[in-house]
Amino acid sequence: MVRRLYELAGTDPARRFSPYCWRARMALAHKGLEADCAVWRFTEGEAIAFSGQDKVPVLVDGDSAVADSWAIARYLEERYPDRPALFPAGVAAARFVTAWADGVLNAALVRLIVSDIPPLLDEPAQAYFIRSREARFGQPLAEVTAGREARLPEFRQKLGPMRAVVSEQPFLGGDAPDYRDHAVFGGFQWARVVSPLDLLAADDPVFLWRERMLDLYGGLARATPALGD
Amino acid sequence: MVRRLYELAGTDPARRFSPYCWRARMALAHKGLEADCAVWRFTEGEAIAFSGQDKVPVLVDGDSAVADSWAIARYLEERYPDRPALFPAGVAAARFVTAWADGVLNAALVRLIVSDIPPLLDEPAQAYFIRSREARFGQPLAEVTAGREARLPEFRQKLGPMRAVVSEQPFLGGDAPDYRDHAVFGGFQWARVVSPLDLLAADDPVFLWRERMLDLYGGLARATPALGD
């Protein structure tokens, strides 16, 4: 049976950097499922047109094709119920954390790292990325991230909800990770792959949690080429 | 056995407005526990000195005295395990939501409503409140809340994580509320009691969730005198 995850990459096919693709990759590893992790680039819409939309991650699992990281996680939990649970505390707990990661964490991260991304892309993808992101932010990407070191304290302050939990236990899921951890980790791994910016102080419980996440599944995420620590 | 909850009130003893006291009140009702809800005002530190600190809520439950809303919830869950669970999805899920309510929701609310509070307080409490809050914000309270109607879209946008959940199910806890709901509701009830500001659009899933919260336990929270809707 074919199992393939289409993942966003830069010019270097090893540089997988989408926060949402990382959620899917970690969810597959959590379930102990092997997958062919296929390279996809911003300008290759036709390669995933079969999935009915134009963004990755897309998972092909035998006869099923599932797009969107949340839908992929829900699919994996339903399709493989006998493997380690992604939602042991209920779907709603993970939905809250995932929405927080989307709207707070990733929204803050993009304003710290977006200008680091174009140099990692090949020319057509670079042109698309710059045009679409400058339209979104209404300013050049270098201006979006200007003064970012000075904004790190504000960024770190926003991590309060997750810090409150991982100060008291190893993972958001408890002694072991669950989808809440993967949803949040996607953003940190995105930043780590594309940017040299030191997001976290080494004595931050969130830093120590990230180290534990990087160690999971034989160091899966740590093995990816990265610019950050 | 004596069971007493010390709650912050304004000049009108019926006007209980602390977001953290509301968490404790709702947690008691969730457990089906009766309590004498005693009035406490900002300048009455000596009345709760027995608890070892100077803030409400303070719960006296027989021989136990517990301060701090989170500690009270944990105490109630441990002391009354046979009554409806406050943490059915685990403590960590509630810890995350509670920390979000503290650092995002309540931090945003105070900048919308703080200037509504002094007129509700008697003179010594009013003087204390204005002095301490102006020191915290570094400006007069009327300036803190200036232009608040224009800031409502930004406030509503911050509710994304909870909106994602209550769009799909009645409560953060699922079909029934749990401590995640009470932790968040405290902030909304605080605002409702002290401020005429319409925080939520009537078609917002968060508005509909708040209506369900106001209906709980025989309309416990709805019965409190309020300035908001």
Side-chain angles (χ1 to χ4, degrees), chain B residues 122-136:
Chain B
D122 58 16
E123 202 283 318
Q126 191 175 100
Y128 159 79
F129 186 85
I130 293 173
R131 189 175 63 246
S132 62
R133 269 50 176 185
E134 289 192 348
R136 182 186 302 172

Side-chain angles (χ1 to χ4, degrees), chain B residues 36 95 101 130 177 227:
Chain B
D36 163 27
R95 189 80 195 89
I130 293 173
L227 294 169

Side-chain angles (χ1 to χ4, degrees), chain B residues 15-212:
Chain B
R15 199 172 292 279
R16 312 285 169 109
F17 65 90
S18 156
Y20 306 103
C21 292
W22 273 104
R23 290 178 180 175
R25 175 88 78 97
M26 296 295 277
L28 282 163
H30 184 108
K31 287 285 189 189
L33 295 168
E34 300 279 334
D36 163 27
C37 292
V39 168
W40 183 87
R41 296 192 176 89
F42 280 119
T43 49
E44 298 175 344
E46 72 284 356
I48 54 169
F50 67 87
S51 72
Q53 52 82 72
D54 62 353
K55 288 191 183 66
V56 288
V58 169
L59 176 69
V60 175
D61 190 47
D63 293 337
S64 301
V66 190
D68 178 83
S69 56
W70 179 252
I72 289 170
R74 299 292 302 273
Y75 166 83
L76 291 174
E77 191 78 334
E78 188 169 341
R79 175 71 180 76
Y80 302 100
D82 298 336
R83 290 168 176 260
L86 288 165
F87 304 109
V91 170
R95 189 80 195 89
F96 191 98
V97 172
T98 302
W100 175 83
D102 292 346
V104 179
L105 175 64
N106 291 353
L109 282 172
V110 73
R111 292 184 166 275
L112 295 171
I113 65 171
V114 68
S115 62
D116 293 316
I117 295 175
L120 306 175
L121 306 179
D122 58 16
E123 202 283 318
Q126 191 175 100
Y128 159 79
F129 186 85
I130 293 173
R131 189 175 63 246
S132 62
R133 269 50 176 185
E134 289 192 348
R136 182 186 302 172
F137 292 106
Q139 59 187 157
L141 300 188
E143 290 180 21
V144 175
T145 59
R148 61 187 185 179
E149 284 81 5
R151 289 188 277 120
L152 283 174
E154 181 191 355
F155 168 76
R156 293 170 181 174
Q157 193 273 332
K158 289 184 176 178
L159 305 177
M162 70 170 302
R163 188 176 293 116
V165 177
V166 300
S167 298
E168 296 179 354
Q169 57 186 40
F171 296 100
L172 294 172
D175 290 332
D178 67 20
Y179 191 73
R180 290 174 284 188
D181 294 280
H182 305 319
V184 173
F185 178 72
F188 284 104
Q189 177 73 344
W190 168 40
R192 184 176 166 276
V193 169
V194 305
S195 177
L197 186 65
D198 287 334
L199 291 173
L200 300 168
D203 61 351
D204 187 337
V206 179
F207 181 96
L208 302 171
W209 163 85
R210 192 183 57 175
E211 289 293 302
R212 290 188 284 272

